[in-house]
Amino acid sequence: MLAYAFRRVLSAIPIALIAVTACFFILRLAPGGPFDGERALPPTVLANLRAHYNLDQPLIVQYFLYVWRLLQGDLGPSMVIDGFNVSELIAIGFPFTLTMALSAFVIATIVGMIAGMVAAAYQNKWPDYVLVLGVMIGVLIPNFLMAALLQLWFGVYLKWVPAGGWVSGSWVHLVLPVTVLAWPHAGRISRLMRGSMIETLGTNYVRTARAKGLGERLVLMRHAIKPALLPVVSYLGPGLSYLLTGSLAVEQVFGLPGIGKYFVTAALNRDYGVVLGTTILYMFIILALNLLVDLVYAWLDPRVRYR
Amino acid sequence: MKFTTAFKAVATAGVMALLMSTAASAVTLQLHNGGDPGTLDPHKASGDWENRVIGDYIEGLLTESPSAEAIPGQAESWDISEDGTVYTFHLRDGIAWSDGTPVTAGDFVFAFQRLFDPKTAADYAYLQFPIKNAEKINSGTIAELNELGVKAIDDKTLEITLEASTPFFLEALTHYTAYPVPKHLVEKVGDDWTKVENIIGNGPYLIKEWLPGSYVRSEKNADYYDASNVKIDEVFYHVLEDQAAALNRYRAGEFDILTDFPSDQYQWLQDNMPGQAHVTPFLGIYYYVLNQEEGEVLSDVRIREALSTTVVRDVIGPDILGTGELPAYGWVPPGTSNYVENAYHPAWADTPYEERVEKAKALMTEAGYGPDKPLTLQLRYNTNDNHQRIAVALAAMWEPLGVKIELFNAETAVHYDALRAGDFQVGRAGWLLDYNDPSNTLDLLKDGVDQAGTINWGNNYGRYSNDEFNALMVQASTELDLVKRGELLAAAEKIAMDEFAAIPIYWYVSKDVVSPKISGFEANPKNIFRTRWLSKSE
């Protein structure tokens, strides 16, 4: 398994390089630049700024300068947020996004799996219908709308939790953002779990277990859960990636200092260094999670062999 | 009494006492500040959301009163030479940076030199170009910073020499570009002086925390000369660009002041929170630029006139935006200082709309366009709901003229890149005044500058060019008599507007929502309210 993991890591290096190169050139070829705002900068100011960030160099030189610095672990400065370099911004934003995403991930996985199992066990009975309805709400309502609605109900009308903002170490500020993030994922996981569980409950070995006189709870816990988990596990990696990279709307509505917000703001402002830095971070997260999921998948299903 | 009961009672009392003492000891202002500050360095800032933070922790020679008028700041008094070109400022006694180092005239000299040094790349250095040799130093024509017209006579006396008498110069000194920076610190740590671990100030507040994407936090400076009158102990400048979410948080009691709100919520605010929304005329103009470069279809003044006169400006503020922005027919916002009393108002503005449309149709026919030969124009605007609504409305207003509008929206950087490159026909733009003087808007219509064989049009996106207009602007810049100067500028405005150099649409308004807990807030045309004048009741 170790050799397999090592090979996967090695194969990720060219993928990473291609992604960085593509991102670098696409970004530079896009119209507009980091110093294009509502007001024209005096030419001397613009020239000095461009020289300061090497933007006056030919594009290919800029590329090699960037890669050279990257190899030394330097993601460069932000061109828009003065006084912060990209690593500092990531150091501020990423732990926050990670906390939020992991909280949502754990909650969504637990709630989703339990809901899926219950729905499967009570297939076509009222608990199944109630759970399906709850799931559909989470999946169908876009998260920016869900964020605004929860903010209004629980923050403005009921005042149970803060309507937004962030205070270091204050978990109560995370209640609404994490709920908004977790809900659709819990929904998807429960649907996968329900379908998979229903299928597993119809297999021969489950029928055999029942025929041997085992109680329904034991059948579920001992024989049905593990195989039923396979599609759920397949989803968990991309699911966590999505939670880590897709929290932008939530961060915007609640005014949170997450990495998704930095990424989109930087893309709009053409803050090249921040866009590239966050892209590289996202890329590593996705590659790492995919690898992790493959390893877990193989552990769950011994028929899977490493090649 | 049981031990546990006694313990609970003592603990409860303790917690209550702690909460009460905290509430009594710290008054915190929760200010919704909108955008994320890109910098805390006064020489690199460019937005009002940065100004709110910077103006609270650094004070210039002059500062703003509650109504945003220029009042003494670090300078206690000043003398002005008879010809209006030499200003001598006398600094207050006992003023110091928050690390205890005295604020001296040398800090101001250093700051102005840094501002104009091309290496600093200060966006707004041009606002202080009235200072002698400032422009030449900034453009690199003069390399020696000591030739700047700013000298320290001694630690407490600063002398500033101008190129020519400038009526708005004292007002310009309230701008953050004129703020001092701590020479001793900048020389030690360079541009890192605004990092939170280094930063110091001389204003009523001190920066304590900066969490990009979330907030900046500052605390009262006990050593500020007017600290005894500063009532707010702590300020959170919250970053939140989603206006609907900001309004929700205001309603939840998490913000004390909103610096913007969704226009379509104005009526709701008036109905449900009467007196809390302040919509105030703001020194700024929302307009459309028309590309008049040679060979462009809009270089034909007849088409420009047809387009401008058929815009129904009266419906835009009240109906399309909902916040009642006033229709604009001229170029200089009402209320601008140093100007003539009667604002420019074209005769066509008072003619019935049907007549205007008929005349416009005739002009279009003269220019060779009409229903049989429609004119197709691309209209560019930057992504924003209000810009889109206005663009759609204008397209409908121009349809009877046989003008077909293709709407094209882009994000801000791309939009302005296209305007500057002249890659547009009709484009949305706006201008908020940096200082209260008509020249600040009229300069937008001045000729481009020839640089290395190409013309740099700066903010004159439409490439409007008129020699008579330019000559009047030059004449006004050296006119000492304020009344005559105002008349010269008004004559320039009339020339440009009569030639439909651009299409003014409406005068901006500022949109603040202020909690009844806050006292000392005074709505004003600059929309500047410094925290030192505010207080908050529980």
Side-chain angles (χ1 to χ4, degrees):
Chain A
M1 190 185 274
L2 203 63
Y4 169 76
F6 185 67
R7 276 203 309 277
R8 284 287 303 270
V9 170
L10 276 185
S11 67
I13 291 173
I15 296 173
L17 194 64
I18 291 167
V20 169
T21 306
C23 187
F24 181 92
F25 285 103
I26 289 169
L27 199 58
R28 293 300 166 95
L29 294 174
F35 312 118
D36 286 320
E38 286 203 353
R39 297 178 178 205
L41 293 180
T44 46
V45 171
L46 190 59
N48 276 308
L49 283 169
R50 291 176 59 81
H52 181 74
Y53 292 109
N54 292 322
L55 296 176
D56 55 346
Q57 302 280 335
L59 197 56
I60 195 74
V61 176
Q62 291 181 46
Y63 170 71
F64 282 113
L65 279 173
Y66 184 77
V67 172
W68 175 243
R69 287 212 310 215
L70 191 62
L71 290 173
Q72 298 169 72
D74 180 5
L75 292 170
S78 163
M79 296 179 195
V80 176
I81 304 180
D82 183 48
F84 283 87
N85 59 44
V86 179
S87 308
E88 284 173 327
L89 288 174
I90 288 176
I92 294 170
F94 188 60
F96 184 84
T97 301
L98 191 66
T99 307
M100 209 161 62
L102 284 179
S103 309
F105 177 75
V106 171
I107 292 168
T109 307
I110 294 171
V111 171
M113 281 170 48
I114 294 172
M117 282 192 286
V118 172
Y122 291 93
Q123 193 187 351
N124 298 329
K125 294 179 182 153
W126 71 264
D128 187 20
Y129 298 138
V130 169
L131 286 166
V132 167
L133 182 69
V135 163
M136 294 309 282
I137 290 172
V139 174
L140 291 179
I141 298 182
N143 65 356
F144 65 89
L145 182 60
M146 177 79 80
L149 290 173
L150 294 186
Q151 186 179 55
L152 205 57
W153 289 333
F154 296 103
V156 177
Y157 295 142
L158 299 172
K159 297 195 193 312
W160 286 355
V161 281
W166 172 242
V167 176
S168 191
S170 168
W171 64 269
V172 74
H173 280 84
L174 287 178
V175 171
L176 291 184
V178 167
T179 306
V180 175
L181 275 179
W183 199 337
H185 288 273
R188 288 190 195 100
I189 290 169
S190 71
R191 281 198 325 190
L192 286 171
M193 192 72 197
R194 178 182 180 275
S196 169
M197 188 65 108
I198 288 169
E199 198 179 312
T200 309
L201 289 174
T203 55
N204 287 336
Y205 65 87
V206 170
R207 271 202 293 275
T208 308
R210 282 180 178 144
K212 285 195 317 193
L214 283 181
E216 194 61 24
R217 186 172 296 176
L218 267 179
V219 169
L220 271 176
M221 302 302 284
R222 194 175 294 171
H223 296 283
I225 285 184
K226 200 173 166 186
L229 275 178
L230 284 174
V232 176
V233 169
S234 303
Y235 172 78
L236 290 183
L240 182 55
S241 309
Y242 185 78
L243 281 170
L244 281 163
T245 58
S247 54
L248 167 78
V250 175
E251 288 169 11
Q252 289 281 23
V253 172
F254 293 105
L256 304 170
I259 206 85
K261 188 174 176 185
Y262 292 163
F263 174 75
V264 173
T265 310
L268 291 174
N269 292 333
R270 302 287 189 270
D271 193 347
Y272 300 134
V274 176
V275 177
L276 282 166
T278 43
T279 303
I280 290 167
L281 178 72
Y282 285 154
M283 189 176 61
F284 278 113
I285 291 169
I286 291 165
L287 289 173
L289 288 175
N290 282 344
L291 174 63
L292 191 67
V293 166
D294 285 354
L295 296 176
V296 173
Y297 205 89
W299 172 72
L300 281 174
D301 186 352
R303 290 170 299 177
V304 175
R305 287 288 174 267
Y306 310 111
R307 301 218 172 125
Chain B
M1 189 186 286
K2 282 183 180 175
F3 172 75
T4 48
T5 313
F7 178 76
K8 277 182 191 167
V10 171
T12 309
V15 170
M16 292 285 286
L18 188 67
L19 287 174
M20 285 168 73
S21 68
T22 309
S25 64
V27 179
T28 300
L29 177 72
Q30 305 284 356
L31 174 70
H32 161 241
N33 193 29
D36 210 351
T39 182
L40 299 181
D41 188 330
H43 292 162
K44 297 181 178 178
S46 57
D48 56 357
W49 57 97
E50 286 153 349
N51 184 12
R52 286 186 202 105
V53 182
I54 293 169
D56 272 359
Y57 92 92
I58 309 191
E59 187 177 270
L61 293 163
L62 281 87
T63 185
E64 296 96 348
S65 70
S67 55
E69 280 162 5
I71 58 167
Q74 296 285 287
E76 196 168 34
S77 61
W78 49 85
D79 312 307
I80 306 173
S81 66
E82 271 187 22
D83 65 353
T85 59
V86 181
Y87 286 64
T88 308
F89 293 92
H90 307 286
L91 301 188
R92 289 176 192 273
D93 288 329
I95 47 174
W97 296 102
S98 48
D99 64 352
T101 310
V103 176
T104 64
D107 287 317
F108 285 93
V109 175
F110 175 78
F112 277 113
Q113 290 182 351
R114 180 176 184 261
L115 173 74
F116 299 120
D117 187 343
K119 286 195 213 96
T120 308
D123 295 9
Y124 276 10
Y126 70 88
L127 291 178
Q128 306 299 338
F129 277 177
I131 296 173
K132 191 178 174 189
N133 289 336
E135 191 169 3
K136 287 175 186 153
I137 289 171
N138 196 232
S139 64
T141 315
I142 294 178
E144 190 51 61
L145 296 178
N146 286 329
E147 291 194 29
L148 183 68
V150 182
K151 311 278 178 220
I153 306 296
D154 56 44
D155 277 358
K156 308 295 293 178
T157 316
L158 182 78
E159 184 184 275
I160 300 182
T161 306
L162 307 186
E163 294 279 359
S165 172
T166 308
F168 57 86
F169 184 62
L170 285 175
E171 162 104 12
L173 288 180
T174 62
H175 195 264
Y176 47 77
T177 44
Y179 288 178
V181 294
K183 182 174 181 240
H184 63 288
L185 181 61
V186 181
E187 284 178 341
K188 190 172 154 198
V189 298
D191 282 351
D192 282 350
W193 79 274
T194 50
K195 287 196 170 228
V196 172
E197 59 269 29
N198 298 328
I199 198 164
I200 58 173
N202 66 338
Y205 290 89
L206 304 173
I207 303 290
K208 292 292 175 184
E209 205 179 347
W210 181 10
L211 192 60
S214 196
Y215 60 80
V216 176
R217 184 176 71 82
S218 66
E219 288 175 7
K220 181 177 165 179
N221 177 6
D223 296 325
Y224 180 61
Y225 61 84
D226 193 32
S228 58
N229 290 316
V230 175
K231 303 289 191 297
I232 305 275
D233 299 302
E234 183 184 40
V235 190
F236 277 86
Y237 308 87
H238 291 277
V239 175
L240 189 54
E241 291 180 75
D242 184 326
Q243 293 174 5
L247 183 57
N248 280 346
R249 291 187 63 189
Y250 177 83
R251 292 172 61 190
E254 293 173 14
F255 291 154
D256 299 312
I257 297 179
L258 290 184
T259 53
D260 206 350
F261 60 83
S263 294
D264 57 9
Q265 295 297 304
Y266 185 42
Q267 194 56 50
W268 183 92
L269 278 162
Q270 284 183 310
D271 294 342
N272 295 282
M273 297 180 159
Q276 294 182 42
H278 299 259
V279 173
T280 313
F282 192 26
L283 293 179
I285 181 172
Y286 185 103
Y287 63 102
Y288 271 39
V289 279
L290 306 168
N291 192 341
Q292 295 151 64
E293 206 159 8
E294 209 176 311
E296 290 284 341
V297 66
L298 292 173
S299 60
D300 187 332
V301 68
R302 292 168 298 188
I303 302 176
R304 299 204 301 269
E305 179 177 350
L307 294 180
S308 184
T309 54
T310 47
V311 173
V312 192
R313 291 160 174 83
D314 296 332
V315 302
I316 290 172
D319 302 327
I320 296 175
L321 299 176
T323 20
E325 283 81 349
L326 292 172
Y329 293 95
W331 200 243
V332 179
T336 306
S337 303
N338 311 317
Y339 209 43
V340 291
E341 265 183 37
N342 296 325
Y344 172 83
H345 189 79
W348 59 261
D350 298 324
T351 56
Y353 186 66
E354 290 71 24
E355 272 181 41
R356 276 152 57 183
V357 173
E358 287 314 309
K359 188 181 175 197
K361 280 181 181 170
L363 285 166
M364 291 298 290
T365 309
E366 255 181 62
Y369 297 98
D372 299 335
K373 192 190 171 200
L375 171 63
T376 303
L377 293 173
Q378 189 190 60
L379 190 160
R380 295 188 74 118
Y381 62 94
N382 51 316
T383 310
N384 175 293
D385 287 347
N386 285 344
H387 299 337
Q388 187 178 28
R389 279 185 217 150
I390 292 171
V392 169
L394 261 61
M397 291 171 197
W398 290 333
E399 211 178 318
L401 307 180
V403 175
K404 286 187 179 168
I405 292 293
E406 288 174 356
L407 297 178
F408 186 92
N409 83 302
E411 59 207 84
T412 303
V414 177
H415 176 71
Y416 282 96
D417 187 40
L419 293 195
R420 267 190 276 284
D423 179 20
F424 74 102
Q425 288 177 301
V426 183
R428 174 266 149 194
W431 188 264
L432 302 177
L433 272 68
D434 302 303
Y435 49 87
N436 193 349
D437 189 85
S439 61
N440 194 230
T441 46
L442 289 167
D443 277 348
L444 297 175
L445 300 173
K446 280 204 307 199
D447 250 15
V449 182
D450 197 346
Q451 282 173 325
T454 56
I455 294 180
N456 180 354
W457 288 94
N459 293 310
N460 181 359
Y461 308 123
R463 283 106 167 104
Y464 171 70
S465 177
N466 180 299
D467 292 340
E468 207 183 334
F469 175 88
N470 294 328
L472 283 166
M473 291 300 290
V474 171
Q475 209 181 327
S477 68
T478 53
E479 177 56 63
L480 296 183
D481 184 322
L482 282 185
V483 176
K484 278 189 194 158
R485 180 177 177 272
E487 284 165 0
L488 289 168
L489 292 171
E493 182 190 20
K494 185 168 178 355
I495 289 170
M497 289 298 98
D498 285 351
E499 285 198 316
F500 302 94
I503 305 180
I505 306 284
Y506 67 77
W507 306 118
Y508 274 112
V509 291
S510 57
K511 297 181 289 179
D512 301 300
V513 188
V514 182
S515 159
K517 289 179 186 171
I518 301 295
S519 309
F521 175 89
E522 285 187 28
N524 61 71
K526 289 166 76 179
N527 197 31
I528 288 178
F529 49 92
R530 296 295 180 204
T531 310
R532 66 179 280 208
W533 306 115
L534 303 177
S535 57
K536 180 181 171 184
S537 60
E538 288 308 318

